Amino acid sequence: MKSDAGKWAVVVLLSAAMCGCSSIRARNEIPNEEWTVYPGSRKDVEEMGEIFKGERTEPGWVKGLITTILIVDLPISTVFDTVIVPYDVYRIYNPEDFEKARRSSESPPDQEAEGQEAE
């Protein structure tokens, strides 16, 4: 019995580590115009709501595993999101800074060199 519980604990912990923190996933998926505070916690709650409402199509055991991971991740995401609140607030009120950074990172190197020569 003990070894079975240990195996399940390892599976759950490895699954959580492979899925990544919801805070990081949410920040990669949010467009600049829709930036909010606590996006990771919101994503956890949103995904759990989808599972409990039956909107997801995975088998029951997968839903159970995902729900377990989300429940474990929710306090971690909440702490991380709390630490990052100043960044989120700055990003909400200064979107032009991030838009400039995004455009400059997407421009080809030749165009950057031409822009520097013109100055």
Side-chain angles (χ1 to χ4, degrees):
M1 275 297 194
K2 275 188 170 182
S3 63
D4 288 339
K7 289 178 185 177
W8 279 106
V10 169
V11 167
V12 169
L13 289 174
L14 287 176
S15 298
M18 288 189 294
C19 289
C21 182
S22 290
S23 294
I24 303 301
R25 284 190 310 133
R27 282 178 171 77
N28 287 329
E29 296 172 359
I30 297 176
N32 284 338
E33 303 82 35
E34 299 174 14
W35 202 267
T36 62
V37 292
Y38 289 92
S41 302
R42 290 173 192 248
K43 187 160 189 65
D44 279 340
V45 171
E46 178 184 307
E47 288 181 0
M48 279 191 277
E50 289 172 358
I51 290 171
F52 293 137
K53 289 178 187 174
E55 297 173 357
R56 306 268 299 244
T57 59
E58 293 95 355
W61 69 272
V62 173
K63 290 179 187 175
L65 185 62
I66 292 171
T67 303
T68 303
I69 292 168
L70 292 172
I71 289 171
V72 169
D73 184 60
L74 184 59
I76 297 166
S77 290
T78 303
V79 169
F80 182 80
D81 287 343
T82 301
V83 171
I84 305 298
V85 161
Y87 169 79
D88 290 335
V89 171
Y90 180 80
R91 186 158 183 173
I92 289 169
Y93 288 106
N94 299 295
E96 64 278 352
D97 293 345
F98 295 94
E99 189 61 32
K100 287 179 200 172
R102 185 186 62 79
R103 278 185 291 193
S104 67
S105 68
E106 290 178 353
S107 64
D110 295 336
Q111 188 177 7
E112 285 180 13
E114 289 173 8
Q116 289 174 354
E117 291 172 6
E119 292 176 359

